[in-house]
Structure formats: C-alpha cells, structure tokens
Amino acid sequence: MLARCRAAALRARLPSLSATIMSASDTLPPFDTSSIKVTQTPDPEWTLGRPATATEQGRKWAEEEKLGWKTVDAKETDPKLIYSLCTSGIVPRPVAFVSTIAEDGTENLAPFSWFNQVCTNPPVLSVTFTDAPRHKDSGHNILATKGFTVNIISEPWVAQANACSIDAPPGVSEWALSGLTKEPSMSAKPARVKESAFSMECEFLQNVEIKDPDSGAVKANMILGTIKYIHIRNAVMNERGNGVDPAKLKPIGRLGGITYAKLGDNFRIPRLSWAEFGEEVQKDFIKDE
C-alpha cells in the first residue's frame, strides 16, 4: 500500500516535472532526427608513419597543446571533482537500462553508465553500482535474486528512460512513472523493456568489490552477468542479418552532467594486417640494433 501511495504521489507531480523539462529546453534548438551517414576517415590519405599534423585538423589539435596541461592527483583531489572530470572525459559511455526485482517483489528500473561488454565467449557484461543511495536498489536486487535484464536505450524513448534516474525511495517502482512497457523474460524473473530494440536477459555471475585502497571500505560493486538471451528487433538488424545497424538502433550515450549524446556520422578505418604491411614496417620503421 505504501509503495502504491508513493508511486501515485510521483505520478501526480508529472505535470510540474514536464514544465521543468520544457523550461530547461526553451533556449535549445530542436532535437536533430536526421539519419547517420557513413563517411571517409578524418585523414583518408593516411599512410604508415604519416603524422597527425599532416592535416589542417591535426595541426590545429597540435597547436592547442601549447595551452598546457592540467594534471590532477587523484588521491589528493575532492572525489566530486574526480567524478566531474571522469564522467565528462571518459565519453561517450553506453547506458545500461537495468530491470531488477527485489526480494519483496518490488520491481526496479534504472539507467547506469558504468557498463560494458566484458566477453563474448562466454557472453558476459558488467554493470557497476556505486555507493550512492539511489544506486543501491538495483545492485542489491541482483545480488539477492540473481537475475536482471539490460536494455539498450534508443532516441525515441530516452525521456522515459531518463525519468527512471529519479532518486525514488525503496519500495517505489520506476516502471509506472516511466510510461514504458513490461515484456516477460524467458529466463530472468525481471521483465525486459518492450520499447528496447536490443535487450539482454542476464544471470548473476560474479561480484567484484571496488575498495578504497587506504581504508578498505567497499565503494562500489562491479557485477558481472552472463547473457542468457538476447532479444533484437528485426527492424534494427543489418542487411546481412548478423549484426545491428547503428543507424536503425539509434542508441544514446552518456556524457557529463545531465548531457546525453546521439550517434554522429560514422566512418570506417580498415584494420592493418601484418601479412600485408609487415615487410614495409620491418624495412622502414624498425631500426637494426
């Protein structure tokens, strides 16, 4: 009953929340829905050994280095500044939209940007949960009930996903205020997000405690999950049917502060083969001792 009352109170505030969002967007241009292009590389004439300063863009980049450096001693710096620097510098970060269930049956839905693929054979991913209060529910739920889903967020419903970052108290499910749709999972107890074009059902594999090197206190938990099932919309598959087309998936990424990013234009750079270039490398770049 208490959980339902809290959820109802949150829903009652949605009009004012919408006004807040609209006010914050008044000075910004409309979202660009144009599709992604695949372009040449920034330096299409690059050859082995060619410096970055061979292009105008590279020369400008090198010139800016003369403005100097800011060096930060992580141990001696306020953790809030480290957070700000890292979340704005380690970008873009993929976002895990995680669905979990608590021991009492409460469903939780929350986005996390400390997330990535760890391995493909076996298929394993990681999601890291810090010691901040609003992050505890999802991590605790996974450790308690062992199953979770990770749903990739796409542009058309990023507002709904972002709503789930609210610091709701324990016992309140974010599903109701998000407007998103539950889709039963095949093996995991938590539902996956039906709006997500790429969802993964995961089983708890391992918890890696991230400890403060001085005090030994646990500051975060990096949870590894084995991917049991992957659900992919046919509409976002590539022409070969062996992968996802990013222009169709339209995934979003996380930057610093409250900023998200969409994919920009893509470019392709072939991987070098030693069989093809090894002789040239030996001849021109490796000096005889």
Side-chain angles (χ1 to χ4, degrees), residues 41-107:
T41 74
D43 185 2
E45 299 178 1
W46 187 86
T47 58
L48 290 171
R50 173 181 164 102
T53 51
T55 67
E56 182 178 350
Q57 181 185 30
R59 288 190 291 273
K60 183 176 184 298
W61 187 258
E63 187 67 23
E64 290 174 348
E65 191 270 340
K66 295 179 181 178
L67 295 174
W69 295 82
K70 178 183 181 69
T71 299
V72 176
D73 184 338
K75 187 175 181 179
E76 301 298 327
T77 304
D78 184 341
K80 292 182 179 179
L81 177 58
I82 297 296
Y83 174 86
S84 178
L85 292 171
C86 287
T87 56
S88 59
I90 305 174
V91 292
R93 297 185 303 281
V95 180
F97 198 36
V98 181
S99 169
T100 61
I101 292 182
E103 293 169 288
D104 65 2
T106 301
E107 297 174 291

Side-chain angles (χ1 to χ4, degrees), residues 93-151:
R93 297 185 303 281
V95 180
F97 198 36
V98 181
S99 169
T100 61
I101 292 182
E103 293 169 288
D104 65 2
T106 301
E107 297 174 291
N108 188 271
L109 188 61
F112 298 90
S113 63
W114 306 115
F115 150 69
N116 221 313
Q117 174 184 332
V118 172
C119 183
T120 57
N121 187 21
V124 174
L125 56 76
S126 69
V127 185
T128 300
F129 305 89
T130 69
D131 59 357
R134 66 179 181 179
H135 292 168
K136 287 182 177 178
D137 290 346
S138 296
H140 175 80
N141 292 350
I142 294 173
L143 294 177
T145 60
K146 309 303 181 185
F148 61 105
T149 73
V150 173
N151 308 272

Side-chain angles (χ1 to χ4, degrees), residues 17 21 51 62 102 136 195 217 228 235:
L17 292 174
I21 294 170
K136 287 182 177 178
E195 285 78 2
K228 307 298 289 185

Side-chain angles (χ1 to χ4, degrees), residues 262-277:
K262 57 176 286 185
L263 287 185
D265 293 339
N266 300 169
F267 59 89
R268 296 174 179 168
I269 303 181
R271 294 181 182 177
L272 300 182
S273 164
W274 188 263
E276 184 177 359
F277 293 100

Side-chain angles (χ1 to χ4, degrees), residues 23 35 55 65 89 114 148 152 158 200 204 285:
S23 176
S35 60
T55 67
E65 191 270 340
W114 306 115
F148 61 105
I152 299 302
V158 65
M200 295 162 283
F204 171 77
F285 298 98

